[in-house]
Amino acid sequence: METSSQFKELLETIKDLTETVNYVGIIAHDFQPQSQEVLNRKINNMVKGLAKLDELKDNFEDVLVPMEVLNYIDQGKNPQLYTQDCYQRAQQKDEEVKGKIAALQSFKDSLMEELKTSMPATMEEYKEGTEHVLKCTLYIVVQYTLYILCVYSVHYTFMCVRSIKIILNEF
């Protein structure tokens, strides 16, 4: 059975079960002897609904739900807010990392300037060594990209190509 139809069946079963439980609650609250037959039918329907849920549970063994989503539900919040909160936290973390990268880049630039003025010969050796390391690194990245192209999808290859461009722009 297709996954989306499995979810639809599960939702329909939960909806029917919830409706049945509400009816049982209403009948039990205002119980009268002549409603015994209706109550019995609704309780039997409730048991059948629970049995169906038990059958359906096997279709969802591989579905993982983060505990935070369950906590949202327990707190009476909409579980879709979890996704929004995760996105906002990721954006905030991204901004923090960008700030750290900018600070480190600024420190590197000022350190390099200072070293160029105080030790020009050593910095020239460093620059030549860095170019060699960059060439070796690019060779490894290109080999890895070719491996990914052969083994994995093209999507990952584009990510590696983008990484190579970023590396080239850094040096």
Side-chain angles (χ1 to χ4, degrees):
M1 185 182 285
E2 185 183 326
T3 304
S4 67
S5 64
Q6 289 175 340
F7 277 110
K8 287 178 184 176
E9 184 179 5
L10 176 66
L11 288 173
E12 192 64 35
T13 303
I14 291 172
K15 186 178 110 182
D16 292 343
L17 184 60
T18 304
E19 190 176 300
T20 304
V21 169
N22 283 334
Y23 281 134
V24 168
I26 291 169
I27 294 169
H29 182 284
D30 293 327
F31 183 74
Q32 308 210 345
Q34 62 267 25
S35 60
Q36 182 66 49
E37 181 67 32
V38 176
L39 180 63
N40 290 343
R41 266 197 324 259
K42 292 297 181 184
I43 289 175
N44 285 334
N45 288 343
M46 190 170 67
V47 170
K48 288 176 186 173
L50 290 170
K52 183 157 184 170
L53 273 181
D54 190 53
E55 290 173 18
L56 291 174
K57 78 175 183 335
D58 296 334
N59 297 334
F60 300 97
E61 288 179 343
D62 59 339
V63 175
L64 301 175
V65 178
M67 281 303 295
E68 293 89 7
V69 172
L70 300 177
N71 290 337
Y72 269 64
I73 294 169
D74 286 343
Q75 296 167 3
K77 295 180 184 177
N78 185 341
Q80 291 177 345
L81 292 176
Y82 172 75
T83 306
Q84 181 181 359
D85 290 346
C86 283
Y87 177 73
Q88 288 172 348
R89 284 193 305 264
Q91 275 186 318
Q92 183 180 14
K93 192 67 170 173
D94 184 52
E95 291 300 319
E96 289 174 15
V97 170
K98 282 180 183 177
K100 289 177 183 179
I101 289 172
L104 287 172
Q105 186 65 41
S106 173
F107 174 72
K108 175 191 163 207
D109 293 344
S110 53
L111 180 64
M112 291 299 184
E113 268 314 302
E114 191 62 37
L115 288 173
K116 280 181 189 175
T117 57
S118 60
M119 298 184 283
T122 306
M123 285 307 294
E124 195 59 40
E125 289 176 22
Y126 170 78
K127 185 177 178 184
E128 290 171 8
T130 305
E131 288 173 0
H132 176 71
V133 169
L134 177 62
K135 288 177 185 175
C136 292
T137 303
L138 284 176
Y139 175 77
I140 292 169
V141 169
V142 167
Q143 292 299 318
Y144 182 68
T145 303
L146 291 174
Y147 170 76
I148 289 175
L149 181 60
C150 292
V151 176
Y152 297 105
S153 71
V154 177
H155 172 73
Y156 292 113
T157 305
F158 287 127
M159 289 171 52
C160 287
V161 169
R162 193 170 27 172
S163 298
I164 291 170
K165 288 179 182 177
I166 291 170
I167 291 170
L168 290 175
N169 289 335
E170 289 294 318
F171 291 99

